[in-house]
Amino acid sequence: PLPPAPPKAPPAPPVSAPAPVDMATALAPAEMPFEYTVKPGDTLEDVAKTFGVTSQQILDASGMSAADVTTGKKIKIPMPGP
């Protein structure tokens, strides 16, 4: 006679999609400020909201005026405040 079959392993749990990433907290403080390249359609206000800072903080960190922030420019994103 054949030996009994080994027990089957339980099914693997389903794989879920990764949680959305909050860019403002995804980067460690040592990685900030960092440079962001302005993309077509970006507004300074939208970029600031994305990273949890103000438009003025970005301008101050980048040493620019709002008129300088155009597609292709590299701007500095400072560390968000508490």
Side-chain angles (χ1 to χ4, degrees):
L2 295 173
K8 291 187 177 185
V15 176
S16 61
V21 174
D22 178 1
M23 292 305 293
T25 57
L27 300 171
E31 296 178 61
M32 295 179 98
F34 67 97
E35 284 190 342
Y36 174 84
T37 302
V38 179
K39 296 175 180 58
D42 279 349
T43 67
L44 186 57
E45 292 77 20
D46 288 344
V47 173
K49 276 187 206 174
T50 297
F51 294 103
V53 297
T54 67
S55 300
Q56 190 60 53
Q57 287 172 311
I58 291 174
L59 294 174
D60 291 346
S62 302
M64 295 180 171
S65 70
D68 296 327
V69 181
T70 57
T71 300
K73 288 280 182 118
K74 291 185 186 299
I75 56 176
K76 291 186 176 136
I77 308 296
M79 190 160 92

